[in-house]
Amino acid sequence: MNQINLWTSADHALSYLAKADSIPHRTEGEAVLLEQVPKTVKRILDLGTGDGRLLALLKIDRPQAESIAVDFSATMLEAVKNRFSGDTTVQVISHNLDYPLPELGTFDAVVSSFAIHHVTHDRKCSLYTEIFQILEPGGIFCNLEHVASPTQVLHEHFLHSIGFTIETEDPSNKLLDVETQLNWLRNIGFTDVDCYWKWLELALLIGKKPQSI
């Protein structure tokens, strides 16, 4: 299993931020995610928040929501703290998703955007279990994610579509197919599990915690 993770590098993080807004179709996936998260949520957890882009979008229609933004890149943490410097409802926490989540309480929504594919497959599954446990009944998990293509040809097509090649793709990526992840979510206990949006290797995976367990 690939253990490389370049996200402790400031240059790597800054390079990503420079390109993030130009990722094709990204805003389409974000729009579908925003539609699915109720505007009445009281607490939001954003895992691998980066510069806080997704959380900022969620807060536009949910300004009252108490939010925790989690990342482990010093560059990203500085960026997200700057973004929310005047917002007392947002707490920024340094944590590496390779390790179990700290005690953060429960949440009505847990979201993530292009972050979880950097952890090993075993950790993806255990993290999904932790997310289920900290969701309130009726809560929602939305993972806008970079997933694996079914063939190498399609993988290379995706890379070319976003301006990369096999040689220049992020070696930190640990990509996994959609169906495996959806089945994990179902087995953990999530309901209404589906891929709600997809463009090539970009996919929005969503599951909800039942109102009563």
Side-chain angles (χ1 to χ4, degrees):
M1 175 64 70
N2 171 15
Q3 300 293 338
I4 296 172
N5 195 328
L6 300 181
W7 289 90
T8 53
S9 159
D11 287 344
H12 192 73
L14 290 170
S15 175
Y16 171 80
L17 290 177
K19 297 171 183 171
D21 288 340
S22 63
I23 297 174
H25 303 282
R26 176 178 187 158
T27 54
E28 296 172 15
E30 290 170 336
V32 177
L33 188 155
L34 293 173
E35 290 172 0
Q36 296 300 318
V37 177
K39 292 183 173 59
T40 54
V41 292
K42 295 181 174 64
R43 294 195 83 218
I44 300 171
L45 174 63
D46 185 7
L47 297 174
T49 190
D51 68 347
R53 171 194 172 107
L54 178 60
L55 185 56
L57 291 172
L58 285 162
K59 294 283 285 180
I60 291 171
D61 287 331
R62 303 158 190 82
Q64 79 294 340
E66 300 248 338
S67 307
I68 296 181
V70 174
D71 210 289
F72 83 118
S73 160
T75 304
M76 296 299 194
L77 289 167
E78 181 179 0
V80 72
K81 286 176 181 176
N82 287 338
R83 183 188 286 271
F84 294 112
S85 60
D87 190 341
T88 58
T89 67
V90 177
Q91 181 182 1
V92 179
I93 291 178
S94 175
H95 179 74
N96 188 332
L97 296 181
D98 287 339
Y99 303 100
L101 294 175
E103 176 55 52
L104 300 171
T106 58
F107 298 87
D108 305 296
V110 177
V111 300
S112 187
S113 178
F114 305 121
I116 295 175
H117 67 278
H118 292 129
V119 304
T120 65
H121 297 342
D122 285 347
R123 178 58 189 141
K124 290 180 180 71
C125 189
S126 62
L127 178 58
Y128 292 161
T129 300
E130 291 169 23
I131 290 167
F132 184 81
Q133 292 167 345
I134 62 175
L135 275 174
E136 291 280 357
I140 189 168
F141 171 46
C142 300
N143 185 17
L144 184 59
E145 184 61 305
H146 185 178
V147 299
S149 285
T151 70
Q152 183 65 18
V153 170
L154 289 174
H155 177 54
E156 293 183 25
H157 170 59
F158 169 75
L159 290 175
H160 294 155
S161 299
I162 63 170
F164 285 83
T165 66
I166 292 294
E167 292 73 30
T168 61
E169 71 174 313
D170 187 349
S172 306
N173 290 345
K174 302 170 184 67
L175 306 182
L176 186 62
D177 65 281
V178 168
E179 276 307 316
T180 296
Q181 298 186 71
L182 294 181
N183 284 331
W184 282 349
L185 294 175
R186 295 181 184 112
N187 291 337
I188 289 166
F190 286 94
T191 59
D192 297 326
V193 173
D194 202 359
C195 177
Y196 282 59
W197 171 88
K198 189 173 187 292
W199 176 74
L200 302 180
E201 291 187 2
L202 308 185
L204 175 59
L205 314 181
I206 292 181
K208 299 172 184 176
K209 187 167 183 175
Q211 285 286 351
S212 57
I213 301 294

